[in-house]
Amino acid sequence: MRKAPHELREIAGWMAATDIGFLELRMPDAIVRLGRRGDEVVTLDDGQRDDDAPVTPRPAATNPPPLDTVTSASVGVFLHAHPCAPAPFARAGVHVRAGQTLGLLRIGVLLLPVAASRAGTVAALRVEDGATVGYGAALVDLHSL
């Protein structure tokens, strides 16, 4: 169920009329991410879904790289996956890129992405799925690349 270009332009127009800085639409065959660059609303990536891509864990090192902890930007409920999708955004041992979504923070009906601060390997998800978290709570540990 792909979105037609005119539908994406309409969604981008709605987004431009608000103060929303990031919007992610997940469909069975694609993910569309829209964001702001100045006053423009742009597509942030190619939108190809890569949930089923094979994952190669990083080989164990004698001196593990330093940990970078991703923290909660607000009070809310931390979700490992989108409520409509069974696959979690990240698992321990998976390589992630800077800005990649690691989970969601649910505040009421609003779902905010929790993104990787830098490229690395997920060391651990520190909070259970559906747990209530406070501002600054440690959510995900990353080994920097």
Side-chain angles (χ1 to χ4, degrees), residues 109-131:
V109 296
L110 181 66
L111 296 174
L112 296 176
V114 174
S117 52
R118 63 181 61 188
T121 303
V122 176
L125 295 168
R126 301 208 17 204
V127 178
E128 293 295 324
D129 187 44

Side-chain angles (χ1 to χ4, degrees), residues 26 79-87 89 104 106 108-111 129:
R26 290 183 149 250
L79 303 175
H80 292 194
H82 189 278
C84 297
F89 288 102
L104 296 171
R106 184 176 67 211
V109 296
L110 181 66
L111 296 174
D129 187 44

Side-chain angles (χ1 to χ4, degrees), residues 122-142:
V122 176
L125 295 168
R126 301 208 17 204
V127 178
E128 293 295 324
D129 187 44
T132 301
V133 297
Y135 175 79
L139 302 175
V140 180
D141 286 334
L142 295 175

Side-chain angles (χ1 to χ4, degrees), residues 13-88:
W14 294 334
M15 187 175 163
T18 68
D19 60 350
I20 296 172
F22 176 81
L23 177 70
E24 180 176 271
L25 300 172
R26 290 183 149 250
M27 297 163 280
D29 60 344
I31 299 171
V32 177
R33 292 181 179 99
L34 301 174
R36 289 188 181 272
R37 291 220 173 101
D39 291 335
E40 269 188 289
V41 174
V42 296
T43 303
L44 298 178
D45 60 11
D46 64 3
Q48 295 303 311
R49 190 169 180 130
D50 59 357
D51 288 348
D52 300 325
V55 175
T56 307
R58 188 174 189 181
T62 54
N63 293 329
L67 282 179
D68 185 27
T69 301
V70 178
T71 59
S72 176
S74 179
V75 174
V77 176
F78 184 67
L79 303 175
H80 292 194
H82 189 278
C84 297

